[in-house]
Amino acid sequence: MSLIVQKFGGSSVADAERVFNVAGIVTDTYKKGNDVVVVVSAQGDTTDDLIEKAKEINPDASKREMDMLLTSGEQISISLLAMAIEKLGYPVVSLLGWQAGFNTSSAYGSARIKRVIPDRIKKELDKRNIVIVAGFQGINRYGDMTTLGRGGSDTSAVAIASVMHADLCQIYTDVEGVYTADPRKVPGARKLSEISYDEMLELATLGAQVLNNRSVEMAKKYNIELEVLSSLTKAPGTIVKEAAKVEKMLISGVAKDTNVARISIIGVPDRPGLAFKIFSKLSAKDINVDIILQSIGRHGTKDISFTVTQDKMKEAIQVLEDYKSTIDAENIVCDDKVAKVSIVGAGMETHAGIAAKMFEAMFDAQINIQMIATSEIKISVLIDVSDADRAVTAIHNKFFPSEQD
Ligand code: ADP
Ligand code: ASP
Ligand code: MG
């Protein structure tokens, strides 16, 4: 007998028919004699709808109350799925995050899982119950419900798989696996049979929504193999693991992130120590900076540009405005109509010319590059958001020409 963790995303449980489809997958697994723990997200667009509802009442609602509201989405889906499984005649119990032992940090809206104490889950499995757990949520030390950040149910599933030493962790979603680009946007995107944790972590962090990046981080840390597959077809999915077999590809995927804003400090005196001072001020406010570009000094001044996530833009500008006169900078400008497009691939380390190929694709599509950042396994460019989808397709077609080309 094996212990299998199965996670189903919002679209997999969007309506009654889909809930019964999931109940079928779960009970088929149970029938084979396995212990089954199921993690579910809120149905369809429920989380987005709840956020909209909150805005109607109070756009500045506290994060605590937002979490109180958002956790209700998963409460609906766990109970409905359990009812469907009851109807099929199987023993089942649904549990909220706190009942399942999810202890988190106190950061409402982006809590981190500190510990999962799976006593209740174990008790229920011992009674041969199918256990359905609400994803995306836990409880903090004040006894309040918290959420783990958008897409957090993936992390809930991996956390259970790791503390319970599950034999298999399956992430069911609405596409058949991890592709070389978003298959809904890029028709020629190819499904990967395997991908390494490191590449998946980069893709997830750079905007490939299919897995939450924290879930991949945790899977890597505890060496949990993940299988990403569709709840709607029976096609084989993608395995995420330490050493993926190398398919003959230079890059494993292209990702797009539109949650980016660019800020520039113009006319900073060209003196040592100013970059240090500016970025220390930002980090003191917990503002994470991503791509950084500094111009060569001319006439005694230089410009420094960097990117942040859009929710941090206002705060970052405020920090710099307050500091501008102290460092004698001329001006601060910002732009949130930008996007980051990235390629990821372990092959980059050993192959020259990958950056040139990416930039050639952008040139062919006449797309201007504002900033560039590279690491061992990724290259990112910052461009105008209106060019982003075209850029993804152009870059994808360059690295993965269609078979007839
Ligand atoms: P779930 O509700 O199951 O958690 P998500 O919407 O969070 O599903 O993630 C699945 C979506 O991720 C897909 O519908 C697809 O549009 C998008 N996606 C983006 N990049 C990729 C990629 N490289 N491979 C697969 N899907 C991707
Ligand atoms: N329901 C949450 C969200 O929409 C969690 C998840 O889907 O994983 O972000
Ligand atoms: Mg998701």
Side-chain angles (χ1 to χ4, degrees):
M1 187 172 62
S2 303
L3 170 63
I4 300 181
V5 175
Q6 299 183 317
K7 180 259 168 178
F8 295 90
S11 48
S12 298
V13 290
D15 55 30
E17 193 189 330
R18 295 267 174 103
V19 170
F20 273 107
N21 173 57
V22 168
I25 296 173
V26 171
T27 51
D28 280 350
T29 312
Y30 177 85
K31 265 193 301 210
K32 291 180 186 143
N34 300 302
D35 279 340
V36 191
V37 181
V38 182
V39 174
V40 266
S41 304
Q43 291 186 287
D45 296 328
T46 302
T47 308
D48 290 326
D49 296 345
L50 289 171
I51 292 171
E52 285 310 309
K53 256 192 203 332
K55 280 190 190 147
E56 279 172 28
I57 304 280
N58 178 1
D60 300 317
S62 66
K63 288 185 175 169
R64 180 194 183 276
E65 296 311 326
M66 284 305 291
D67 277 2
M68 188 56 98
L69 180 68
L70 296 191
T71 48
S72 69
E74 272 70 14
Q75 180 161 3
I76 296 175
S77 52
I78 56 167
S79 52
L80 292 178
L81 178 59
M83 290 175 199
I85 292 173
E86 278 177 352
K87 192 153 180 196
L88 297 180
Y90 292 87
V92 62
V93 63
S94 65
L95 301 174
L96 288 170
W98 67 268
Q99 294 175 299
F102 274 81
N103 291 283
T104 73
S105 67
S106 50
Y108 302 101
S110 57
R112 284 193 168 263
I113 300 170
K114 282 174 131 179
R115 209 171 31 234
V116 181
I117 303 166
D119 298 356
R120 177 76 188 271
I121 298 180
K122 280 185 185 152
K123 240 186 244 168
E124 300 296 343
L125 290 175
D126 287 344
K127 290 190 249 169
R128 282 299 286 146
N129 274 327
I130 294 170
V131 181
I132 316 283
V133 177
F136 176 55
Q137 57 173 257
I139 193 168
N140 67 14
R141 64 195 169 107
Y142 306 111
D144 284 340
M145 305 251 262
T146 52
T147 64
L148 307 178
R150 299 304 305 269
S153 298
D154 298 332
T155 315
S156 310
V158 176
I160 294 181
S162 75
V163 293
M164 299 199 59
H165 308 289
D167 300 285
L168 185 60
C169 183
Q170 296 179 310
I171 310 287
Y172 284 89
T173 182
D174 57 358
V175 290
E176 286 183 1
V178 180
Y179 284 70
T180 49
D182 186 340
R184 295 186 187 286
K185 299 262 172 63
V186 181
R190 299 180 195 174
K191 184 164 65 180
L192 302 168
S193 59
E194 292 185 353
I195 184 168
S196 67
Y197 292 127
D198 288 337
E199 287 171 288
M200 189 64 238
L201 185 55
E202 288 288 0
L203 277 179
T205 307
L206 295 166
Q209 197 192 342
V210 61
L211 281 177
N212 175 284
N213 60 349
R214 279 198 198 164
S215 74
V216 184
E217 213 169 56
M218 192 182 285
K220 178 179 160 72
K221 186 166 170 196
Y222 297 103
N223 203 20
I224 310 286
E225 257 186 45
L226 305 178
E227 184 181 0
V228 181
L229 68 175
S230 165
S231 62
L232 301 166
T233 71
K234 290 213 179 314
T238 302
I239 305 289
V240 186
K241 58 192 223 180
E242 185 60 52
K245 74 170 187 286
V246 185
E247 297 183 34
K248 275 201 230 95
M249 294 191 307
L250 289 175
I251 67 164
S252 54
V254 187
K256 173 187 85 170
D257 185 358
T258 53
N259 180 16
V260 193
R262 193 194 68 230
I263 300 177
S264 304
I265 319 163
I266 311 289
V268 180
D270 196 11
R271 288 200 306 266
L274 281 184
F276 159 65
K277 286 182 186 157
I278 291 167
F279 291 110
S280 314
K281 287 273 169 206
L282 293 165
S283 95
K285 291 270 177 194
D286 238 4
I287 297 171
N288 263 331
V289 168
D290 186 23
I291 308 177
I292 300 175
L293 184 77
Q294 180 180 293
S295 69
I296 300 270
R298 258 175 228 279
H299 313 299
T301 67
K302 61 191 173 191
D303 304 334
I304 298 177
S305 301
F306 59 90
T307 62
V308 292
T309 53
Q310 290 189 351
D311 57 321
K312 294 285 184 189
M313 184 175 84
K314 269 193 192 153
E315 209 180 332
I317 292 171
Q318 194 55 54
V319 170
L320 298 177
E321 285 291 350
D322 292 347
Y323 197 49
K324 192 170 87 179
S325 54
T326 319
I327 55 171
D328 250 353
E330 280 163 28
N331 201 7
I332 290 155
V333 293
C334 65
D335 185 357
D336 62 356
K337 304 275 180 298
V338 291
K340 186 168 68 172
V341 172
S342 311
I343 58 174
V344 171
M348 265 178 217
E349 275 181 286
T350 45
H351 285 81
I354 295 193
K357 200 166 168 171
M358 180 183 190
F359 301 154
E360 187 186 9
M362 314 269 301
F363 168 68
D364 291 345
Q366 285 295 297
I367 295 170
N368 186 41
I369 301 174
Q370 301 177 9
M371 292 167 108
I372 300 171
T374 64
S375 80
E376 279 152 4
I377 66 165
K378 71 146 201 247
I379 302 169
S380 298
V381 291
L382 193 81
I383 58 176
D384 197 288
V385 71
S386 61
D387 291 327
D389 286 335
R390 245 168 15 94
V392 172
T393 305
I395 295 165
H396 188 271
N397 292 348
K398 192 74 162 182
F399 285 95
F400 302 98
S402 62
E403 253 84 72
Q404 60 266 36
D405 284 357

